[in-house]
Amino acid sequence: MGIFHSICHPSVKPNKQVPVVVIFSGKRKSGKDYCTERLKSMLGPETAEIGRLSAPLKLAYAKEHNLDYKQLLSDGPYKEKYRKDMIRWGEERRNKDPGFFAKLVVASCARPVLIISDARRVTDIEFFKEPARGFYPITVRVEATEETRKTRGWVFTDGVDNVESECGLDGRNW
């Protein structure tokens, strides 16, 4: 954790620019949230915070469609009911500006380490790897077998599990 020590030392004060971004990706129910929460706990709340690229998407979608934002953040059936349309809606926004949701997450971050819990597309990672942005990006892929994911409540859903929002980072060399 050399880079974490040098960037996260107490003498380094957080600023608007987030120096380190740890970018997690993985399939639904693979354990991304568990891993990101563990990393945040290890680094401490004064050093790290979790940013979810889906959070600003869900907030804007909820407002536009008069839905319950907090329920869209959950893992329950309410979110699943709207998932396909939310994916379509988010893709429309990303087609106009691939970094749209990432910019919103970065703008609200106040810690020296930003942990992205839900990278889903190549453009999500490219945003943070672009040298001009000044980040130190670290990518992590969380993997779990289909059997394990099923024990966590995963059920294959056509139009969700076989589209870019779920498969966009498959086959990447991590």
Side-chain angles (χ1 to χ4, degrees), residues 23-81:
I23 308 159
F24 281 77
S25 72
K27 301 280 191 185
R28 291 190 306 131
K29 303 291 185 180
S30 64
K32 296 180 305 292
D33 288 336
Y34 173 81
C35 293
T36 56
E37 289 292 342
R38 293 279 296 148
L39 179 58
K40 178 185 171 190
S41 175
M42 289 169 47
L43 295 173
E46 61 285 332
T47 298
E49 65 184 277
I50 295 174
R52 291 174 173 80
L53 297 174
S54 62
L57 181 153
K58 290 173 183 174
L59 179 60
Y61 182 84
K63 285 181 179 178
E64 189 171 305
H65 294 87
N66 198 29
L67 299 173
D68 184 333
Y69 170 63
K70 288 191 188 296
Q71 286 207 50
L72 288 178
L73 290 175
S74 76
D75 270 341
Y78 186 85
K79 177 174 76 174
E80 295 307 319
K81 178 179 177 181

Side-chain angles (χ1 to χ4, degrees), residues 4-14 46-47 112:
F4 283 116
H5 178 72
S6 62
I7 297 295
C8 304
H9 191 272
S11 66
V12 177
K13 300 292 181 219
E46 61 285 332
T47 298

Side-chain angles (χ1 to χ4, degrees), residues 16-18 101-110 114 127-128 135:
K16 201 64 176 163
Q17 183 65 37
V18 180
F101 298 112
K103 290 173 192 171
L104 293 173
V105 171
V106 169
S108 68
C109 183
L114 173 59
F127 174 86
F128 294 104
F135 301 123

Side-chain angles (χ1 to χ4, degrees), residues 140-172:
V140 179
R141 180 70 169 183
V142 178
E143 304 233 346
T145 65
E146 282 192 9
E147 291 76 29
T148 299
R149 293 169 59 212
K150 285 177 183 175
T151 66
R152 297 172 180 163
W154 176 77
V155 175
F156 178 85
T157 305
D158 189 44
V160 173
D161 292 302
N162 55 354
V163 297
E164 185 183 14
S165 65
E166 195 63 23
C167 303
L169 296 172
D170 289 359
R172 185 178 173 89

Side-chain angles (χ1 to χ4, degrees), residues 61-126:
Y61 182 84
K63 285 181 179 178
E64 189 171 305
H65 294 87
N66 198 29
L67 299 173
D68 184 333
Y69 170 63
K70 288 191 188 296
Q71 286 207 50
L72 288 178
L73 290 175
S74 76
D75 270 341
Y78 186 85
K79 177 174 76 174
E80 295 307 319
K81 178 179 177 181
Y82 297 103
R83 185 184 288 272
K84 282 185 186 181
D85 190 56
M86 220 173 1
I87 290 169
R88 179 203 52 77
W89 183 89
E91 291 303 323
E92 290 174 2
R93 291 342 174 246
R94 283 185 185 90
N95 288 338
K96 293 176 186 164
D97 178 4
F100 180 78
F101 298 112
K103 290 173 192 171
L104 293 173
V105 171
V106 169
S108 68
C109 183
R111 304 287 182 275
V113 177
L114 173 59
I115 303 166
I116 297 295
S117 66
D118 59 352
R120 300 249 179 213
R121 295 162 187 78
V122 171
T123 54
D124 294 342
I125 293 175
E126 287 174 349

